[in-house]
Amino acid sequence: MADLSAFPITRRWPAEHPDRIQLYSLNTPNGVKASVMLEETGLPYEPHLVDITADQSHTPEFLSLNPNGKIPAIIDPDGPGGRPLGLFESGAILIYLADKSGRFIAADPALRYETIQWVFFQNAGIGPMFGQVGFFNKFAGKDYEDKRPLQRYVAESKRLLGVLERRLDGRDWIMGAEYSIADVSTLGWVRNLITFYEARDLVDYDSLKNVPTWLDRGLARPAVQRGLEIPKRI
């Protein structure tokens, strides 16, 4: 049985199955990257709900695993060399799980790096920009009299959707015929933009052709449907 006692986070979120990957998350667009990937790969895992609305990601226990105070984070009791590994940052987690499972990333080095670049495209562009649209369109920012911030982030989000639209022209998935971590990384954010953030009309989503069919294709995957609900706030 794996010993995870060296990780203080396990004192607040005890592991019932310490031999499984421990997932600390919430089903936000970033959080579901890890849960969808775990569902897709079939790797055994145990989810723990970290309620970011109650500031649980800034508790000492969580910060001991991720000093940046963001979900998701994982502990793999069977990490490299058979030693436990703690890991944070959703993009890093996706790459790690792809390598561990041997799935959803190409073995060919050139295709591997091409896949990783699209994961970074989501991490550096789509996530931050779509999140700002959500803040200024639905949350506290909607009350700002100055609408220039909203307009700026809407314009940039439309541009990023355009990049994705062109990439998907003639492709089922971001990397072509094969579903990959690039899709896992991006699906939840596009879904969130047009649903939870209520920005469908703002970004002219219905003027797109390739992105909506790609999103529908991704959301139809059983593992994606399961992963989008894990861990869900009770």
Side-chain angles (χ1 to χ4, degrees):
M1 186 68 69
D3 181 8
L4 301 181
S5 61
F7 294 89
I9 194 170
T10 62
R11 293 197 282 272
R12 185 177 182 117
W13 290 277
E16 293 184 13
H17 305 281
D19 56 328
R20 302 177 186 177
I21 293 172
Q22 303 294 302
L23 170 65
Y24 306 92
S25 191
L26 183 67
N27 62 334
T28 67
N30 275 334
V32 298
K33 297 179 197 176
S35 53
V36 166
M37 186 62 174
L38 286 163
E39 289 291 326
E40 290 279 14
T41 60
L43 292 167
Y45 75 102
E46 179 179 354
H48 301 277
L49 173 66
V50 179
D51 189 351
I52 60 176
T53 65
D55 214 27
Q56 290 182 357
S57 63
H58 290 97
T59 58
E61 296 88 352
F62 189 87
L63 291 171
S64 70
L65 181 57
N66 182 2
N68 195 36
K70 304 291 184 182
I71 55 103
I74 65 169
I75 300 172
D76 183 0
D78 184 25
R83 295 184 297 273
L85 172 70
L87 201 61
F88 64 90
E89 281 297 329
S90 59
I93 291 170
L94 286 178
I95 296 168
Y96 175 75
L97 295 176
D99 287 345
K100 183 179 179 72
S101 65
R103 301 186 67 192
F104 307 117
I105 193 166
D108 175 81
L111 292 175
R112 173 184 172 84
Y113 284 113
E114 187 178 350
T115 306
I116 291 172
Q117 81 176 353
W118 284 101
V119 172
F120 284 13
F121 168 76
Q122 183 281 306
N123 282 221
I126 281 180
M129 293 302 105
F130 287 14
Q132 293 290 357
V133 169
F135 175 79
F136 286 102
N137 185 53
K138 183 172 181 178
F139 300 109
K142 71 180 181 181
D143 296 326
Y144 293 2
E145 291 185 12
D146 187 349
K147 298 304 178 185
R148 286 174 296 179
L150 172 61
Q151 293 164 359
R152 185 207 186 284
Y153 292 120
V154 166
E156 180 63 4
S157 294
K158 289 172 69 174
R159 188 190 71 80
L160 292 166
L161 284 170
V163 174
L164 188 58
E165 174 78 0
R166 291 186 292 276
R167 174 65 183 181
L168 289 166
D169 191 25
R171 295 180 172 92
D172 284 345
W173 305 108
I174 291 174
M175 286 301 298
E178 299 296 327
Y179 177 80
S180 74
I181 57 172
D183 303 291
V184 176
S185 188
T186 310
L187 283 165
W189 274 105
V190 176
R191 171 181 178 262
N192 217 57
L193 179 69
I194 63 171
T195 57
F196 187 62
Y197 290 162
E198 301 174 357
R200 186 184 194 108
D201 293 337
L202 276 179
V203 299
D204 295 332
Y205 183 78
D206 292 322
S207 69
L208 303 172
K209 175 185 176 183
N210 302 318
V211 172
T213 56
W214 161 84
L215 179 62
D216 289 345
R217 192 177 297 119
L219 294 179
R221 294 177 69 91
V224 173
Q225 294 173 17
R226 294 192 301 270
L228 289 173
E229 301 299 321
I230 302 172
K232 189 171 184 178
R233 190 184 295 109
I234 300 173

Coordinates of all heavy atoms in Angstrom, one line a residue, residues 54-126:
A54 N -15.0 28.4 -1.5 CA -14.8 28.5 0.0 C -13.3 28.7 0.3 O -12.9 28.6 1.4 CB -15.3 27.3 0.7
D55 N -12.5 29.1 -0.7 CA -11.1 29.4 -0.6 C -10.3 28.2 -0.1 O -9.2 28.4 0.4 CB -10.9 30.6 0.3 CG -9.7 31.4 -0.1 OD1 -9.4 31.5 -1.3 OD2 -9.1 32.1 0.8
Q56 N -10.8 27.0 -0.4 CA -10.1 25.8 0.1 C -8.7 25.6 -0.7 O -7.9 24.9 -0.1 CB -10.9 24.6 -0.1 CG -12.1 24.5 0.9 CD -12.9 23.3 0.8 OE1 -12.7 22.4 -0.1 NE2 -14.0 23.2 1.6
S57 N -8.6 26.2 -1.8 CA -7.3 26.0 -2.6 C -6.2 26.9 -2.0 O -5.1 26.8 -2.5 CB -7.5 26.3 -4.1 OG -7.9 27.6 -4.3
H58 N -6.6 27.8 -1.0 CA -5.5 28.6 -0.4 C -5.3 28.2 1.1 O -4.7 28.9 1.8 CB -5.9 30.1 -0.5 CG -5.8 30.6 -1.9 ND1 -6.9 30.7 -2.7 CD2 -4.8 31.0 -2.6 CE1 -6.5 31.2 -3.9 NE2 -5.3 31.3 -3.9
T59 N -5.8 27.0 1.4 CA -5.5 26.5 2.8 C -4.0 26.0 2.8 O -3.4 25.7 1.7 CB -6.4 25.3 3.1 OG1 -6.3 24.3 2.1 CG2 -7.8 25.8 3.2
P60 N -3.4 25.9 4.0 CA -2.0 25.4 4.0 C -1.8 24.1 3.4 O -0.8 23.8 2.8 CB -1.7 25.4 5.5 CG -2.6 26.5 6.1 CD -3.9 26.4 5.3
E61 N -2.8 23.2 3.6 CA -2.7 21.8 3.1 C -2.6 21.8 1.6 O -1.8 21.1 1.0 CB -3.9 21.0 3.6 CG -3.9 20.8 5.1 CD -4.7 21.8 5.8 OE1 -5.1 22.9 5.2 OE2 -4.9 21.7 7.0
F62 N -3.5 22.6 0.9 CA -3.5 22.6 -0.5 C -2.3 23.3 -1.0 O -1.6 22.8 -2.0 CB -4.8 23.3 -1.1 CG -4.9 23.1 -2.6 CD1 -5.5 22.0 -3.1 CD2 -4.4 24.1 -3.4 CE1 -5.6 21.8 -4.5 CE2 -4.4 23.9 -4.8 CZ -5.1 22.8 -5.4
L63 N -1.9 24.4 -0.4 CA -0.7 25.1 -0.9 C 0.6 24.3 -0.7 O 1.6 24.5 -1.4 CB -0.6 26.4 -0.1 CG -1.6 27.5 -0.4 CD1 -1.5 28.6 0.6 CD2 -1.5 28.0 -1.8
S64 N 0.5 23.3 0.2 CA 1.7 22.4 0.3 C 1.9 21.6 -1.0 O 3.1 21.2 -1.3 CB 1.5 21.5 1.5 OG 0.5 20.5 1.3
L65 N 0.9 21.4 -1.7 CA 1.0 20.6 -3.0 C 1.1 21.6 -4.2 O 1.9 21.3 -5.1 CB -0.2 19.7 -3.2 CG -0.2 18.8 -4.5 CD1 1.0 18.0 -4.5 CD2 -1.5 18.0 -4.5
N66 N 0.3 22.6 -4.2 CA 0.4 23.6 -5.2 C 0.5 25.0 -4.6 O -0.5 25.6 -4.2 CB -0.8 23.6 -6.1 CG -0.7 24.6 -7.2 OD1 0.3 25.4 -7.4 ND2 -1.7 24.7 -8.1
P67 N 1.7 25.5 -4.5 CA 2.0 26.9 -3.9 C 1.3 28.0 -4.6 O 1.1 29.1 -4.1 CB 3.5 27.0 -3.9 CG 4.0 26.1 -5.0 CD 3.0 24.9 -5.0
N68 N 0.8 27.7 -5.9 CA 0.1 28.7 -6.6 C -1.4 28.8 -6.3 O -2.1 29.7 -6.7 CB 0.2 28.5 -8.1 CG -0.2 29.7 -9.0 OD1 0.0 30.8 -8.6 ND2 -0.8 29.4 -10.1
G69 N -1.9 27.8 -5.5 CA -3.3 27.8 -5.0 C -4.3 27.7 -6.0 O -5.4 28.2 -5.9
K70 N -4.1 26.9 -7.1 CA -5.0 26.7 -8.1 C -5.3 25.2 -8.3 O -4.4 24.4 -8.2 CB -4.5 27.3 -9.5 CG -4.2 28.7 -9.4 CD -5.4 29.6 -9.3 CE -5.0 31.1 -9.3 NZ -6.2 32.0 -9.1
I71 N -6.5 24.9 -8.7 CA -6.9 23.5 -9.1 C -6.7 23.4 -10.6 O -6.8 24.4 -11.3 CB -8.3 23.1 -8.6 CG1 -9.4 24.1 -9.1 CG2 -8.4 23.1 -7.1 CD1 -10.1 23.6 -10.3
P72 N -6.4 22.1 -11.1 CA -6.3 20.9 -10.3 C -4.9 20.6 -9.9 O -3.9 21.2 -10.4 CB -6.8 19.8 -11.4 CG -6.2 20.4 -12.7 CD -6.4 21.9 -12.5
A73 N -4.8 19.6 -9.0 CA -3.5 19.1 -8.6 C -3.6 17.6 -8.4 O -4.8 17.1 -8.2 CB -2.9 19.7 -7.4
I74 N -2.6 16.8 -8.5 CA -2.7 15.4 -8.4 C -1.5 14.9 -7.5 O -0.4 15.6 -7.5 CB -2.7 14.6 -9.7 CG1 -1.4 14.8 -10.5 CG2 -3.9 15.0 -10.5 CD1 -1.2 13.8 -11.7
I75 N -1.6 13.7 -6.9 CA -0.5 12.9 -6.4 C -0.6 11.6 -7.1 O -1.7 10.9 -7.0 CB -0.6 12.8 -4.9 CG1 -0.5 14.1 -4.2 CG2 0.6 11.9 -4.4 CD1 -0.8 14.0 -2.7
D76 N 0.4 11.2 -7.7 CA 0.5 9.8 -8.3 C 1.3 9.0 -7.3 O 2.6 9.2 -7.2 CB 1.1 9.8 -9.7 CG 1.1 8.4 -10.3 OD1 0.6 7.5 -9.6 OD2 1.5 8.3 -11.5
P77 N 0.8 8.0 -6.6 CA 1.6 7.2 -5.7 C 2.6 6.3 -6.4 O 3.6 5.9 -5.8 CB 0.5 6.3 -5.0 CG -0.6 6.2 -6.0 CD -0.7 7.6 -6.7
D78 N 2.4 6.1 -7.7 CA 3.3 5.3 -8.5 C 3.9 6.2 -9.6 O 3.7 6.0 -10.8 CB 2.6 4.1 -9.1 CG 3.5 3.2 -9.9 OD1 4.7 3.2 -9.6 OD2 3.0 2.5 -10.8
G79 N 4.6 7.2 -9.2 CA 5.3 8.1 -10.1 C 6.5 7.5 -10.7 O 6.8 6.3 -10.6
P80 N 7.3 8.4 -11.4 CA 8.6 7.9 -12.0 C 9.5 7.2 -10.9 O 9.6 7.7 -9.8 CB 9.2 9.2 -12.5 CG 8.1 10.1 -12.7 CD 7.1 9.8 -11.6
G81 N 10.0 6.1 -11.3 CA 10.8 5.3 -10.4 C 10.0 4.6 -9.3 O 10.6 4.1 -8.4
G82 N 8.7 4.6 -9.5 CA 7.9 4.0 -8.4 C 7.7 4.8 -7.2 O 7.1 4.4 -6.2
R83 N 8.1 6.1 -7.2 CA 8.0 7.0 -6.1 C 6.8 7.9 -6.3 O 6.5 8.4 -7.4 CB 9.3 7.8 -5.9 CG 10.5 7.0 -5.5 CD 11.7 7.8 -5.2 NE 12.1 8.6 -6.4 CZ 13.0 8.1 -7.3 NH1 13.4 6.9 -7.2 NH2 13.3 8.8 -8.4
P84 N 6.1 8.3 -5.2 CA 5.0 9.2 -5.3 C 5.4 10.6 -5.9 O 6.5 11.1 -5.6 CB 4.6 9.4 -3.8 CG 5.0 8.2 -3.1 CD 6.3 7.8 -3.8
L85 N 4.6 11.1 -6.7 CA 4.8 12.4 -7.4 C 3.6 13.3 -7.2 O 2.5 12.9 -7.6 CB 5.1 12.2 -8.9 CG 5.2 13.4 -9.8 CD1 6.5 14.2 -9.5 CD2 5.1 13.1 -11.3
G86 N 3.9 14.5 -6.7 CA 2.8 15.5 -6.7 C 3.0 16.5 -7.9 O 4.2 16.8 -8.3
L87 N 1.9 16.9 -8.5 CA 2.0 17.7 -9.7 C 0.8 18.7 -9.8 O -0.3 18.3 -9.4 CB 1.9 16.8 -10.9 CG 2.5 17.2 -12.3 CD1 4.0 17.6 -12.2 CD2 2.3 16.2 -13.3
F88 N 1.1 19.9 -10.2 CA 0.1 20.9 -10.4 C 0.3 21.5 -11.8 O 1.2 21.2 -12.5 CB 0.0 21.9 -9.3 CG 1.3 22.8 -9.2 CD1 1.4 24.0 -10.0 CD2 2.3 22.5 -8.4 CE1 2.5 24.8 -9.8 CE2 3.4 23.3 -8.3 CZ 3.5 24.5 -9.0
E89 N -0.6 22.4 -12.2 CA -0.8 23.0 -13.5 C -1.4 21.9 -14.5 O -0.9 20.9 -14.8 CB 0.6 23.5 -14.1 CG 1.0 24.8 -13.5 CD 0.0 25.9 -13.9 OE1 -0.6 25.9 -14.9 OE2 -0.1 26.9 -13.0
S90 N -2.6 22.3 -15.0 CA -3.4 21.4 -15.8 C -2.7 20.9 -17.0 O -2.8 19.7 -17.4 CB -4.7 22.1 -16.2 OG -4.5 23.2 -16.9
G91 N -1.9 21.8 -17.7 CA -1.2 21.3 -18.9 C -0.1 20.3 -18.6 O 0.0 19.3 -19.3
A92 N 0.6 20.5 -17.5 CA 1.6 19.5 -17.1 C 1.0 18.2 -16.7 O 1.5 17.1 -17.0 CB 2.4 20.1 -15.9
I93 N -0.2 18.3 -16.0 CA -0.9 17.1 -15.6 C -1.3 16.3 -16.9 O -1.2 15.1 -17.0 CB -2.1 17.4 -14.7 CG1 -1.6 17.9 -13.4 CG2 -3.0 16.2 -14.6 CD1 -2.7 18.5 -12.5
L94 N -1.9 17.0 -17.9 CA -2.3 16.3 -19.1 C -1.1 15.6 -19.8 O -1.2 14.4 -20.2 CB -2.9 17.3 -20.1 CG -4.3 17.8 -19.8 CD1 -4.7 18.9 -20.8 CD2 -5.3 16.7 -19.7
I95 N 0.0 16.3 -19.9 CA 1.2 15.6 -20.5 C 1.7 14.4 -19.7 O 2.0 13.4 -20.3 CB 2.3 16.7 -20.7 CG1 1.9 17.8 -21.7 CG2 3.6 16.0 -21.2 CD1 2.8 19.0 -21.7
Y96 N 1.7 14.6 -18.4 CA 2.1 13.5 -17.6 C 1.2 12.3 -17.7 O 1.7 11.1 -17.9 CB 2.1 14.0 -16.1 CG 2.5 12.8 -15.1 CD1 3.8 12.3 -15.0 CD2 1.5 12.2 -14.4 CE1 4.1 11.3 -14.2 CE2 1.8 11.2 -13.5 CZ 3.1 10.7 -13.4 OH 3.4 9.7 -12.6
L97 N -0.1 12.5 -17.7 CA -1.1 11.4 -17.8 C -1.0 10.8 -19.2 O -1.2 9.5 -19.3 CB -2.5 11.9 -17.4 CG -2.7 12.3 -16.0 CD1 -4.1 12.8 -15.8 CD2 -2.4 11.2 -15.0
A98 N -0.8 11.6 -20.2 CA -0.6 11.0 -21.5 C 0.6 10.1 -21.6 O 0.5 9.0 -22.2 CB -0.5 12.2 -22.6
D99 N 1.7 10.6 -21.0 CA 2.9 9.8 -21.1 C 2.7 8.5 -20.2 O 3.2 7.4 -20.6 CB 4.1 10.6 -20.5 CG 4.6 11.6 -21.5 OD1 4.2 11.6 -22.7 OD2 5.3 12.5 -21.1
K100 N 2.1 8.6 -19.1 CA 1.9 7.5 -18.2 C 1.0 6.4 -18.8 O 1.3 5.2 -18.7 CB 1.3 7.9 -16.9 CG 1.1 6.8 -15.8 CD 0.5 7.3 -14.5 CE 0.4 6.2 -13.5 NZ 1.7 5.8 -12.9
S101 N 0.0 6.8 -19.5 CA -0.9 5.9 -20.1 C -0.5 5.5 -21.5 O -1.0 4.5 -22.0 CB -2.3 6.5 -20.2 OG -2.4 7.6 -21.0
G102 N 0.3 6.3 -22.2 CA 0.7 6.0 -23.5 C -0.5 6.3 -24.5 O -0.5 5.8 -25.6
R103 N -1.3 7.3 -24.1 CA -2.5 7.6 -24.9 C -2.7 9.1 -25.1 O -2.2 9.9 -24.3 CB -3.8 7.0 -24.3 CG -3.7 5.5 -24.1 CD -5.1 5.0 -23.6 NE -6.1 5.2 -24.6 CZ -7.4 5.0 -24.4 NH1 -7.8 4.7 -23.2 NH2 -8.3 5.2 -25.4
F104 N -3.3 9.5 -26.2 CA -3.7 10.8 -26.5 C -2.5 11.8 -26.7 O -2.7 13.0 -26.6 CB -4.7 11.4 -25.4 CG -5.8 10.4 -25.2 CD1 -6.0 9.8 -24.0 CD2 -6.7 10.1 -26.2 CE1 -7.1 8.9 -23.8 CE2 -7.7 9.2 -26.1 CZ -7.9 8.6 -24.8
I105 N -1.4 11.3 -27.0 CA -0.3 12.1 -27.5 C 0.6 11.2 -28.4 O 0.8 10.0 -28.1 CB 0.6 12.7 -26.3 CG1 1.5 13.8 -26.9 CG2 1.4 11.6 -25.6 CD1 2.1 14.7 -25.8
A106 N 1.0 11.8 -29.5 CA 1.8 11.0 -30.5 C 3.1 10.6 -30.0 O 3.8 11.3 -29.2 CB 1.9 11.7 -31.8
A107 N 3.6 9.4 -30.4 CA 4.9 8.9 -30.0 C 6.0 9.6 -30.9 O 7.1 9.9 -30.5 CB 5.1 7.4 -30.2
D108 N 5.6 10.0 -32.1 CA 6.5 10.7 -33.1 C 6.8 12.0 -32.4 O 6.0 12.8 -32.1 CB 5.8 10.9 -34.4 CG 6.6 11.7 -35.3 OD1 7.5 11.2 -36.0 OD2 6.4 13.0 -35.4
P109 N 8.1 12.3 -32.3 CA 8.5 13.6 -31.6 C 8.0 14.9 -32.2 O 7.5 15.8 -31.5 CB 10.1 13.5 -31.7 CG 10.4 12.1 -31.8 CD 9.3 11.5 -32.6
A110 N 7.9 14.9 -33.5 CA 7.4 16.2 -34.2 C 5.9 16.3 -33.8 O 5.5 17.5 -33.5 CB 7.6 16.1 -35.7
L111 N 5.1 15.3 -34.0 CA 3.7 15.4 -33.7 C 3.5 15.6 -32.2 O 2.5 16.3 -31.8 CB 3.0 14.1 -34.1 CG 2.9 13.9 -35.6 CD1 2.3 12.5 -36.0 CD2 2.1 15.0 -36.3
R112 N 4.3 15.0 -31.4 CA 4.2 15.2 -29.9 C 4.4 16.7 -29.6 O 3.5 17.3 -28.8 CB 5.3 14.4 -29.2 CG 5.4 14.7 -27.7 CD 6.6 14.0 -27.1 NE 6.8 14.4 -25.7 CZ 6.1 13.9 -24.7 NH1 5.2 12.9 -24.8 NH2 6.3 14.3 -23.4
Y113 N 5.4 17.4 -30.1 CA 5.6 18.8 -29.8 C 4.5 19.6 -30.4 O 4.1 20.7 -29.9 CB 7.0 19.2 -30.2 CG 8.0 18.8 -29.3 CD1 9.0 17.8 -29.7 CD2 8.1 19.2 -28.0 CE1 10.0 17.4 -28.8 CE2 9.0 18.8 -27.1 CZ 10.0 17.9 -27.5 OH 10.9 17.4 -26.6
E114 N 4.0 19.2 -31.6 CA 2.9 20.0 -32.2 C 1.6 19.9 -31.3 O 0.9 20.9 -31.1 CB 2.6 19.4 -33.6 CG 1.5 20.2 -34.3 CD 1.3 19.7 -35.7 OE1 2.0 18.8 -36.2 OE2 0.3 20.2 -36.3
T115 N 1.4 18.7 -30.7 CA 0.3 18.6 -29.8 C 0.5 19.5 -28.6 O -0.5 20.2 -28.1 CB 0.2 17.1 -29.3 OG1 0.1 16.3 -30.5 CG2 -1.1 16.9 -28.4
I116 N 1.7 19.5 -28.0 CA 2.0 20.3 -26.8 C 1.8 21.7 -27.1 O 1.3 22.5 -26.3 CB 3.4 19.9 -26.3 CG1 3.4 18.5 -25.7 CG2 3.8 21.0 -25.2 CD1 4.8 18.0 -25.4
Q117 N 2.1 22.2 -28.3 CA 2.0 23.6 -28.6 C 0.5 24.0 -28.6 O 0.2 25.1 -28.1 CB 2.6 24.0 -30.0 CG 1.7 23.6 -31.2 CD 2.4 24.1 -32.5 OE1 3.4 24.8 -32.5 NE2 1.7 23.7 -33.6
W118 N -0.4 23.1 -29.0 CA -1.8 23.5 -28.9 C -2.4 23.4 -27.5 O -3.3 24.1 -27.1 CB -2.6 22.5 -29.8 CG -2.4 23.0 -31.3 CD1 -1.6 22.4 -32.2 CD2 -3.1 24.1 -31.9 NE1 -1.7 23.1 -33.4 CE2 -2.6 24.1 -33.2 CE3 -3.9 25.1 -31.5 CZ2 -3.0 25.1 -34.2 CZ3 -4.3 26.0 -32.4 CH2 -3.9 26.1 -33.7
V119 N -1.8 22.6 -26.6 CA -2.1 22.6 -25.2 C -1.7 24.0 -24.6 O -2.4 24.6 -23.9 CB -1.4 21.5 -24.5 CG1 -1.6 21.6 -22.9 CG2 -2.0 20.1 -24.9
F120 N -0.5 24.4 -25.0 CA 0.0 25.7 -24.5 C -0.9 26.9 -25.1 O -1.1 27.9 -24.4 CB 1.4 25.9 -24.9 CG 2.4 25.2 -24.1 CD1 2.0 24.2 -23.2 CD2 3.8 25.4 -24.2 CE1 2.9 23.4 -22.5 CE2 4.7 24.7 -23.4 CZ 4.3 23.7 -22.5
F121 N -1.3 26.7 -26.3 CA -2.2 27.7 -26.9 C -3.5 27.9 -26.1 O -3.9 29.0 -25.8 CB -2.6 27.3 -28.3 CG -3.7 28.0 -29.0 CD1 -3.5 29.3 -29.5 CD2 -5.0 27.5 -29.1 CE1 -4.6 30.0 -30.1 CE2 -6.0 28.2 -29.7 CZ -5.8 29.5 -30.2
Q122 N -4.0 26.8 -25.6 CA -5.2 26.9 -24.7 C -4.8 27.5 -23.3 O -5.5 28.4 -22.8 CB -5.8 25.5 -24.5 CG -7.1 25.5 -23.6 CD -6.7 25.6 -22.1 OE1 -6.0 24.8 -21.6 NE2 -7.3 26.6 -21.5
N123 N -3.7 27.0 -22.8 CA -3.3 27.5 -21.5 C -2.9 29.0 -21.4 O -3.3 29.7 -20.5 CB -2.0 26.7 -21.0 CG -2.4 25.3 -20.5 OD1 -1.8 24.8 -19.5 ND2 -3.3 24.6 -21.1
A124 N -2.3 29.4 -22.5 CA -1.8 30.8 -22.5 C -2.8 31.8 -23.1 O -2.8 33.0 -22.8 CB -0.5 30.9 -23.2
G125 N -3.7 31.3 -23.9 CA -4.6 32.2 -24.6 C -6.0 32.0 -24.3 O -6.7 32.8 -23.7
I126 N -6.6 30.8 -24.7 CA -8.0 30.6 -24.6 C -8.5 30.7 -23.1 O -9.5 31.3 -22.8 CB -8.4 29.2 -25.2 CG1 -8.4 29.4 -26.7 CG2 -9.7 28.7 -24.6 CD1 -8.8 28.1 -27.5

